[in-house]
Amino acid sequence: MKIKTFTIISLLCVLLACGSQRNENQQSDTDEQTDTKMSIDFNADSAYQNIERQVAFGPRVPNTAAHRNCRNWLADELKRYGAEVTLQEMKLTAFDGTVLEATNIIGSYNPDAQNRLLLLAHWDCRPWADADPDPANHKKPVDGANDGASGVGVLLEIARLLHANPTDKGIDILFVDAEDWGTEGDDLSWAMGARYFAANPHRAGYRPQQAILLDMVGGKDAVFYREYFSMSSAPWLVDKVWNTAANSGYSERFNNEVGGAVTDDHAELIKVGIPAIDIIEHHPYNGFNPTWHTIDDTMESISRETLKVVGQTVANYIYDIH
Ligand code: AHN
Ligand code: ZN
């Protein structure tokens, strides 16, 4: 009887101990999860300032001083944020015969990692505000606060985050030139810098597993639809990014409807077999933001809130917070 009681009591003790052990394990699992799900705060004010700095150079139209000065600043910023920087200089002949002195700027993190994510945005400005309601403005260059500087501004803030919170992932930030010296009806007149990069990558055999283009990501109340070429190239990547946005609280800004097809830098990567998607403000019926290719594409058209929505989504995607 005594032995029985003793056995029962010890059995109970063992069970209780096991129970508490399991609880401890669960607790530490939860702690680890909280650790890996550390929050990374995308600073929209910094992104906004990155846009202001670009716009302050003047329109970054190829073959101008503003363009050259901005190029040097962008390269210096990427270096300051710890990236390995490559400048890819090109002479590109535009549809109208103009020879553009163009430069793609590449900033690499963990350049030897095999698995790579490419983040890109165009940094040049359109020489003509030919969508402006006033024809008198059609030969003026655009400020490109949204069309150009916004994607770059967000990615420079991502570079700052990568420097402050290093990961072991292979990430390349690419600022492509000569996107916007194009003409309607001639698909090859756009995205010349991206086409050059696709054919002549900065490293022999460079082949990222995934690429995300940011274009016009600063407009007020912007909504991002699932762009058509992105859906044909990498629907799984669109899913991942749009789900990340939804889990970050931005489901109203990342709409699950499939939008129109936009001839843009990502299409040049898709052509050479790189899975690529475009986060772009392009409404299925209303098209681009009303300031697109007008003289109103200025700082006044930039929303810190939209920069936060896009930047935090990209940051959460990079850091697996989804
Ligand atoms: C076309 O209008 C065919 N593509 C526009 C791509 C673009 C221009 N993105 C920014 N500016
Ligand atoms: Zn444009």
Side-chain angles (χ1 to χ4, degrees), residues 42-43 46-54 57 70-83 85 105 107 109 119-121 123 149-164 173-175 214 311 314:
F42 180 91
N43 189 325
S46 303
Y48 186 91
Q49 282 172 26
N50 295 336
I51 301 169
E52 267 184 329
R53 291 290 295 267
Q54 292 171 78
F57 286 108
C70 185
R71 175 191 90 145
N72 297 337
W73 179 75
L74 292 173
D76 287 347
E77 287 295 280
L78 286 174
K79 282 179 200 153
R80 190 160 76 84
Y81 294 138
V85 175
I105 305 159
Y109 292 86
L119 301 169
L120 68 155
W123 71 275
S150 68
V152 171
V154 166
L155 292 184
L156 279 179
E157 169 59 4
I158 293 288
R160 187 189 69 77
L161 288 174
L162 288 172
H163 190 43
I173 293 180
L174 166 63
F175 298 144
L214 272 55
V314 173

Side-chain angles (χ1 to χ4, degrees), residues 225-228 231 255-260 284:
Y225 291 84
R226 294 176 175 231
E227 188 272 333
Y228 186 86
M231 287 302 284
N255 192 302
N256 284 327
E257 280 174 57
V258 178

Side-chain angles (χ1 to χ4, degrees), residues 122 147 179-180 190 215-216 262-264 280 288 292-293:
H122 79 88
D147 189 0
E179 188 278 333
D180 233 344
W190 308 91
D215 194 6
M216 302 190 267
V262 182
T263 302
D264 208 345
I280 185 165
F288 298 120
W292 179 70
H293 293 183

Side-chain angles (χ1 to χ4, degrees), residues 102-134:
T103 308
N104 290 332
I105 305 159
I106 304 115
S108 294
Y109 292 86
N110 304 310
D112 295 323
Q114 284 298 306
N115 198 19
R116 308 203 66 78
L117 164 64
L118 172 61
L119 301 169
L120 68 155
H122 79 88
W123 71 275
D124 61 307
C125 288
R126 183 160 182 77
W128 318 285
D130 51 358
D132 199 277
D134 182 354

